[in-house]
Amino acid sequence: MSYVIEGLATVAVIARYLGQAPIELTTLECPVRLSDAGTGRARIELQQYLQGPKAANLLRMIMLDGHMAQRQVIHGCNESGGGWLLINVGQFELTP
């Protein structure tokens, strides 16, 4: 699988719900790989456990080169050795 973006990123996991104050936890220098996961979706692979609020529904990722994505989390798996998140993306957001 070829990756569109690979490297270190600042990753914020956010729980944002109507009528509640947002809860956000940020992980600095998190190794990530972002790849195309089909129409309108991207998969972010994580190489470490990602701290974040339970029921998080939003992800903000800022790469060291300045690229940024903030998108809704569709599905994911977060385990001690890493995991993955599936997010919505726009048509041209995955161009290298």
Side-chain angles (χ1 to χ4, degrees):
M1 173 184 292
S2 66
Y3 297 101
V4 175
I5 299 173
E6 184 172 11
L8 296 177
T10 298
V11 180
V13 179
I14 306 161
R16 183 172 289 164
Y17 293 95
L18 186 64
Q20 298 177 13
I23 302 169
E24 179 175 326
L25 286 172
T26 301
T27 302
L28 303 174
E29 296 186 1
C30 181
V32 298
R33 291 185 192 130
L34 183 127
S35 59
D36 188 343
T39 306
R41 296 195 172 171
R43 179 181 168 105
I44 300 171
E45 295 180 17
L46 308 161
Q47 296 180 17
Q48 66 187 50
Y49 181 79
L50 194 59
Q51 297 290 332
K54 291 188 186 253
N57 58 355
L58 192 64
L59 177 87
R60 181 184 318 116
M61 183 177 75
I62 305 171
M63 301 299 294
L64 292 180
D65 65 4
H67 282 92
M68 182 184 133
Q70 180 168 307
R71 294 287 173 218
Q72 175 188 7
V73 174
I74 300 168
H75 193 49
C77 174
N78 191 21
E79 297 180 354
S80 60
W84 57 272
L85 294 168
L86 193 62
I87 61 171
N88 284 328
V89 292
Q91 183 178 1
F92 299 106
E93 288 184 286
L94 293 181
T95 54

